[in-house]
Amino acid sequence: MESTGSRAGAAVPGPVLFARYAYPPNRLGLCGPEDAPALLDGAAAGADRQLRALALGFEGAYPYLRLIARENGIADPLDARVVDAYWLGSPLVARVGQRPMHRDLADRFRPRMDGADWRWLEAAVAGGSHPIHAFHVLEVFPRIGLLRGGRPDPIVGTMDACRIRWGRVTAVNGTRLQVDARSLELHEGRLRLGAEHPEDVAGWLGPGGLLDGAVVGDWVSLHWGWACDRLGAGQLARLAAWTDAALASANRTI
């Protein structure tokens, strides 16, 4: 497996990697337990036990991790390979079959959806959707909303902030990064990614500094206005490919 983490060749433990992506929406009160400072501090300190306890409170994300791990014979849902697969996409999620995914979604979401919405989600699973974060953002969220925040308007802008995006660093300004990134847009009734444009985002703060030293030219992953991690070439390619696949799936049932 390619290295995961913000410094080339240095793997980030799974619980820390999960927290880096989970903290930005958690700090806004959108998902997970109401203890964002503990999530941030635990990630910075590498507090494994603390982060594992907090991760259990993410009722949207954690069951996907559990499903991916179980279907790949991995004992730990917070194994770095599983966490990486959920946020960015990887062959691990492709190994989750339609039947276990359908059963998992039915247990979690069917009681909260009317018949038409549930049939719509079933069609997405039958059409080849996989249990990655982009699936939840593009196909579950529009029908259910954020687990703690409801379904806002305009919904496309919220979906764009929530999906895991990518951007190329063009400037480092203290704890802020300037990046060129693409945003989600609705064009003629279909979701797509627009042209690159500059954005100002917060850099992840930890004991090693801003993403352990992000520099101009780095590719970084983005979630709710935060740069969560530096992306290697393989990770970037996977994230782009799995995002394209999730968009194609969402557009079949939009």
Side-chain angles (χ1 to χ4, degrees):
M1 175 190 170
E2 66 190 281
S3 174
T4 59
S6 59
R7 179 181 295 150
V12 173
V16 174
L17 188 64
F18 176 78
R20 286 189 170 190
Y21 285 93
Y23 172 73
N26 183 248
R27 66 186 285 271
L28 298 174
L30 299 176
C31 59
E34 296 182 8
D35 198 354
L39 194 66
L40 179 63
D41 292 344
D48 184 275
R49 182 177 297 181
Q50 175 181 336
L51 292 176
R52 288 180 180 277
L54 290 168
L56 291 171
F58 284 83
E59 60 177 300
Y62 195 81
Y64 287 118
L65 299 177
R66 193 168 52 214
L67 174 65
I68 296 166
R70 183 176 66 241
E71 295 303 307
N72 282 276
I74 298 173
D76 182 9
L78 288 172
D79 184 294
R81 296 168 295 172
V82 175
V83 176
D84 175 77
Y86 172 65
W87 294 119
L88 305 185
S90 89
L92 293 186
V93 297
R95 295 177 192 141
V96 178
Q98 289 184 11
R99 183 171 296 178
M101 183 171 172
H102 182 278
R103 184 168 55 247
D104 182 80
L105 294 176
D107 290 344
R108 297 168 59 198
F109 300 126
R110 188 171 187 176
R112 303 174 56 181
M113 305 174 78
D114 63 29
D117 282 347
W118 172 245
R119 288 190 293 274
W120 176 85
L121 190 58
E122 281 187 307
V125 176
S129 293
H130 298 284
I132 60 174
H133 184 67
F135 161 75
H136 188 83
V137 171
L138 297 175
E139 304 202 57
V140 177
F141 165 71
R143 301 290 170 163
I144 292 180
L146 297 168
L147 293 176
R148 277 170 53 192
R151 189 165 60 189
D153 186 37
I155 194 169
V156 173
T158 304
M159 290 164 66
D160 191 47
C162 191
R163 73 182 179 92
I164 306 303
R165 305 164 59 220
W166 60 93
R168 190 174 183 88
V169 177
T170 59
V172 179
N173 301 314
T175 61
R176 309 290 299 183
L177 299 177
Q178 297 292 318
V179 301
D180 284 340
R182 302 172 69 187
S183 293
L184 187 69
E185 60 185 27
L186 190 64
H187 178 74
E188 296 181 351
R190 292 292 182 266
L191 294 168
R192 70 177 189 182
L193 299 183
E196 281 192 350
H197 61 275
E199 294 185 28
D200 176 79
V201 299
W204 182 266
L205 301 178
L210 185 66
L211 285 182
D212 293 330
V215 298
V216 172
D218 279 347
W219 287 95
V220 295
S221 52
L222 309 171
H223 197 201
W224 284 102
W226 278 66
C228 302
D229 202 11
R230 290 167 66 185
L231 298 174
Q235 292 171 304
L236 176 63
R238 283 194 286 110
L239 176 56
W242 281 96
T243 298
D244 285 345
L247 284 169
S249 179
N251 281 329
R252 284 195 294 269
T253 54
I254 197 168

